[in-house]
Amino acid sequence: HVVSHDLKTPIVSISGQLSRLKSMSDNISEKQHKCFERIEINIKKMSELIHDLLSLSGSNKMEYKFKKINLYKVIKQIESSYEESLSDIKFLSDIHEDFILKCDERKIKQVFDNLISNSIRYKSSNSPFIKITTMEREDYYEFIVSDNGIGVDSQHHETIFKMFERIHHEIEGGTGIGLSIVKNIVENHAGKIWIKSEVNKGTEIHFTIGKFL
């Protein structure tokens, strides 16, 4: 918590000073306005990077709290939080209302949230969809988050879960840490994660969660 505070304080201070400077500037030029916008974008990027780094540092299994949760409710919460972004995307899930999963609720929510937000960011321009599929095995559950988005070239399939690995640099958003965090969380749930994807043919992210945690 001390580290979190120390990292965030300068960002909050810069953001506050920028807001104050903008409020004092009644008549600013277009060039100055664009300069303010660039600063705000970079403040947001730095905040996201700090958030993701702190999430990754908190992936130690000692900090996990495993309990039985209703996964359907978790997915509904995420869906609701992205209501505006999903307005033009068909969102499907076969997770039923009574689906109980033993896990760390906050961490698993982070996994699904990250994968869904990626599918939104890299969505198809033609009838986009996001689908969550579940398969029950003898000692684990397999989940698939799939979409018909822009896809990932096979040469990146091995590296995409590494820290700071960004594939689509031309698209705004993301820090390159999200999938690394997801991988850590999945592995701390006795699972594994992999990708199936082709350029312009969508993406499937498969991951497993052990039943006996």
Side-chain angles (χ1 to χ4, degrees):
H1 293 294
V2 174
V3 174
S4 172
H5 177 76
D6 288 347
L7 286 171
K8 290 178 179 178
T9 298
I11 301 298
V12 173
S13 177
I14 293 169
S15 181
Q17 292 298 325
L18 179 62
S19 296
R20 185 181 178 192
L21 184 61
K22 285 174 69 178
S23 67
M24 294 167 59
S25 307
D26 295 327
N27 299 307
I28 61 172
S29 67
E30 183 66 22
K31 187 175 181 180
Q32 290 171 320
H33 180 71
K34 287 182 177 179
C35 184
F36 283 146
E37 280 189 344
R38 284 196 295 271
I39 294 171
E40 287 176 331
I41 288 169
N42 281 290
I43 287 172
K44 184 181 178 183
K45 283 183 178 179
M46 183 57 70
S47 296
E48 289 174 350
L49 182 59
I50 290 170
H51 176 270
D52 285 350
L53 283 170
L54 291 170
S55 295
L56 191 59
S57 68
S59 61
N60 189 311
K61 196 167 184 178
M62 294 288 288
E63 300 179 12
Y64 281 59
K65 298 177 181 178
F66 297 107
K67 63 178 182 179
K68 291 182 178 180
I69 65 149
N70 185 312
L71 188 60
Y72 175 83
K73 291 181 179 179
V74 170
I75 299 302
K76 281 296 179 183
Q77 288 171 6
I78 298 171
E79 184 181 1
S80 177
S81 71
Y82 286 113
E83 184 177 2
E84 186 175 337
S85 299
L86 288 169
S87 61
D88 64 338
I89 300 173
K90 190 172 184 179
F91 186 82
L92 305 164
S93 173
D94 70 356
I95 295 175
H96 57 79
E97 293 184 13
D98 300 316
F99 193 110
I100 302 299
L101 180 70
K102 188 175 183 182
C103 63
D104 182 303
E105 182 173 2
R106 188 172 63 85
K107 302 286 190 183
I108 287 299
K109 185 176 182 180
Q110 192 173 359
V111 168
F112 280 103
D113 189 288
N114 187 283
L115 298 180
I116 290 168
S117 69
N118 280 348
S119 289
I120 292 171
R121 183 177 296 124
Y122 306 119
K123 67 182 180 180
S124 168
S125 57
N126 182 28
S127 302
F129 74 79
I130 300 171
K131 184 178 181 182
I132 300 174
T133 309
T134 312
M135 291 180 282
E136 184 172 2
R137 310 297 190 187
E138 185 177 351
D139 54 359
Y140 64 87
Y141 291 102
E142 181 177 341
F143 299 96
I144 306 169
V145 179
S146 58
D147 62 57
N148 62 336
I150 63 177
V152 177
D153 192 286
S154 59
Q155 66 176 314
H156 299 299
H157 288 189
E158 293 296 321
T159 59
I160 198 169
F161 297 104
K162 291 182 179 179
M163 195 185 299
F164 299 119
E165 189 69 25
R166 285 198 66 207
I167 308 302
H168 304 294
H169 295 279
E170 71 280 5
I171 297 177
E172 278 293 323
T175 60
I177 303 177
L179 286 177
S180 181
I181 294 170
V182 166
K183 183 174 184 286
N184 269 277
I185 293 172
V186 167
E187 289 176 347
N188 279 321
H189 281 80
K192 58 182 181 179
I193 187 167
W194 65 98
I195 182 174
K196 293 182 179 180
S197 183
E198 291 183 51
V199 175
N200 297 322
K201 292 187 177 180
T203 297
E204 292 182 0
I205 300 290
H206 296 242
F207 66 95
T208 63
I209 299 295
K211 286 185 177 179
F212 309 108
L213 298 171

